[in-house]
Amino acid sequence: MSGLFPTYNRFNLSVQSAEGTAVQGEDGKTYLDFGSGIGVCNLGHRHPQVMAAVEEQLQQYWHVSNLYHQPIQQEVAQWLTDHSKLERVFFCNSGAEANEAAIKLARKATGKSKIISFHQSFHGRTFGSMAATGQEKIHAGFGPMLESFEYAIYNDLKSVVSCVDHHTAAIMIELVQGEGGVIPAEQAFITAIEKLCQENDLLLIIDEVQTGIGRTGTKFAFQQYDVSPDIITLAKGLGNGFPVGAMLAKEQLAEAFGPGSHGTTFGGNPLAMAAAKAVLQHVFQADFLEEVNVKGKYLKACLEEKLGQHYQVRGQGLMIGIVSDADISSMVPELMTKGLLVLSAGPHVIRLLPPLTVSTDEIDIAIQLLTEVLLQQTALTVQK
């Protein structure tokens, strides 16, 4: 009997070690990891540059609290502000915490309480971020949600406009809905959302927890949409496995988050900052991001060629969804038995989040296994 709460439906895999794109199980089998710890290990497992940075910091200090200046926090903040054009950073430990900070900042800075988010969105499982999440299954069993959230229809401007009133503080959106099915936002929709925010004095919050740090082929996904968010949130790929999150905001919002307004014991931990600094130094190189784009286009094109007759393929960069008419719950474990680790994004979407360092040879292997399993499933469905 396990001493753990049964909060996860775990697969029958016990991990012994991992390196790069390979995961070694205690069963002696090697798996190709196209989940990256749910989009976390963007540089692959045990990346040498990240490991060296953390080991160096280990020899200096592990924790002293945010009551003291820590130069490494300033260094990572500078990397983030320089490359995002947002001026202020709050460090925390996860995407949910980053979104909680964004919600608090939006309400305090505007003096308004209502935030518009979207059906099928996912922003976390803490009470505020859970309320921001537009999925009933996330809310079920927890009683009344935090008030003043309203859910619009994704990629439907009229739906958003109908939600705006004089209580509205902000619109909170993912540019690719991850847990909701790997659904990219339409350019015209995001352009109109930004204009709507400007016309109604609303803050635009972009949740980049899964899409940020190179995942979609640019440093941040919002840079592909030519918008200027007031707040963005980050986590996952920022630390390459070290727990770290961040909320970035425009300078004019800094005053609302003065001393005592928000805090965290472990946020900005120096070990996490060392990992984040190494990640940013690597990922934010132009040639690295160009490789991500090339590999993302290759993966998507090959999947469309092999599976397009029966499945829809969508996404950006190395964030890809394969959409099935049938339930995919049996396909994910079947792929694992063949040595490929993938994720689901709802009952009908297989989600691929390989490390950004994945090789073309590894992509080819994954395509072969995906084609084998998915076309077999299609044949079985036709027979029925």
Side-chain angles (χ1 to χ4, degrees):
M1 178 179 174
S2 172
L4 300 171
F5 270 103
T7 48
Y8 303 100
N9 286 318
R10 289 184 168 90
F11 293 105
N12 187 27
L13 169 61
S14 295
V15 177
Q16 184 177 65
S17 63
E19 186 168 4
T21 316
V23 170
Q24 297 287 337
E26 289 189 347
D27 56 4
K29 190 172 179 179
T30 300
Y31 299 84
L32 187 61
D33 187 1
F34 266 50
S36 302
I38 315 183
V40 168
C41 297
N42 282 7
L43 293 178
H45 299 282
R46 298 177 61 228
H47 188 275
Q49 184 176 330
V50 180
M51 285 182 63
V54 173
E55 288 169 354
E56 181 180 350
Q57 184 61 47
L58 272 168
Q59 302 303 319
Q60 298 176 36
Y61 64 98
W62 301 358
H63 177 81
V64 294
S65 102
N66 285 311
L67 296 176
Y68 310 108
H69 294 288
Q70 299 181 62
I72 194 167
Q73 287 186 353
Q74 294 288 348
E75 290 180 56
V76 178
Q78 193 70 52
W79 270 91
L80 291 171
T81 57
D82 283 351
H83 291 273
S84 68
K85 305 307 179 186
L86 295 162
E87 293 89 5
R88 295 287 181 152
V89 181
F90 175 83
F91 288 116
C92 51
N93 306 285
S94 68
E97 286 185 39
N99 285 331
E100 288 280 351
I103 291 163
K104 285 183 65 174
L105 178 59
R107 291 176 63 146
K108 192 166 189 291
T110 64
K112 300 175 184 179
S113 59
K114 180 176 171 180
I115 294 176
I116 299 167
S117 60
F118 293 85
H119 292 291
Q120 296 177 262
S121 62
F122 184 82
H123 300 291
R125 295 179 184 272
T126 52
F127 219 74
S129 62
M130 177 171 65
T133 294
Q135 297 189 51
E136 180 56 36
K137 68 179 182 181
I138 304 297
H139 302 167
F142 294 101
M145 289 292 101
L146 181 68
E147 295 179 357
S148 300
F149 284 93
E150 189 169 355
Y151 313 115
I153 299 170
Y154 198 67
N155 281 327
D156 184 332
L157 182 62
K158 289 183 180 179
S159 173
V160 182
V161 171
S162 70
C163 294
V164 175
D165 59 29
H166 65 281
H167 297 295
T168 307
I171 296 174
M172 186 174 193
I173 190 168
E174 302 160 274
L175 294 177
V176 181
Q177 287 191 327
E179 302 290 333
V182 193
I183 305 170
E186 296 169 1
Q187 176 66 64
F189 176 66
I190 295 302
T191 300
I193 288 289
E194 182 179 42
K195 183 179 179 183
L196 182 67
C197 287
Q198 293 168 348
E199 292 175 344
N200 292 274
D201 198 22
L202 312 178
L203 297 178
L204 176 58
I205 304 171
I206 296 183
D207 180 339
E208 292 256 17
V209 169
Q210 192 165 151
T211 57
I213 318 300
R215 173 55 58 185
T216 63
T218 48
K219 298 165 188 175
F220 309 100
F222 78 81
Q223 293 167 333
Q224 297 179 40
Y225 287 85
D226 192 28
V227 292
S228 178
D230 299 288
I231 299 171
I232 68 169
T233 55
L234 302 169
K236 289 192 180 291
L238 181 57
N240 208 62
F242 239 93
V244 60
M247 178 197 67
L248 283 60
K250 289 183 175 178
E251 177 63 32
Q252 57 264 36
L253 299 177
E255 185 179 353
F257 252 25
S261 58
H262 198 47
T264 166
T265 297
F266 295 107
N269 174 274
L271 299 179
M273 293 293 94
K277 179 182 174 183
V279 167
L280 296 172
Q281 287 174 329
H282 197 91
V283 172
F284 282 4
Q285 297 177 49
D287 56 348
F288 181 85
L289 290 168
E290 179 56 31
E291 286 183 16
V292 173
N293 278 297
V294 169
K295 289 183 285 192
K297 289 174 182 176
Y298 177 75
L299 173 59
K300 189 177 180 184
C302 289
L303 289 172
E304 287 173 337
E305 179 186 348
K306 301 283 188 180
L307 301 171
Q309 186 176 349
H310 303 286
Y311 297 88
Q312 179 189 357
V313 182
R314 64 192 181 203
Q316 293 177 359
L318 285 170
M319 183 176 182
I320 301 293
I322 304 171
V323 187
S324 171
D325 291 333
D327 191 302
I328 55 90
S329 58
S330 64
M331 302 183 202
V332 176
E334 176 65 17
L335 284 161
M336 189 179 76
T337 64
K338 292 183 178 295
L340 179 65
L341 305 182
V342 300
L343 303 162
S344 61
H348 296 285
V349 180
I350 291 174
R351 180 171 31 154
L352 307 179
L353 300 170
L356 306 184
T357 52
V358 66
S359 70
T360 302
D361 287 345
E362 290 168 332
I363 290 174
D364 287 341
I365 293 169
I367 291 167
Q368 179 184 344
L369 295 173
L370 285 160
T371 301
E372 181 181 328
V373 170
L374 271 63
L375 290 186
Q376 181 183 49
Q377 181 64 40
T378 301
L380 290 173
T381 302
V382 171
Q383 289 174 11
K384 291 179 181 179

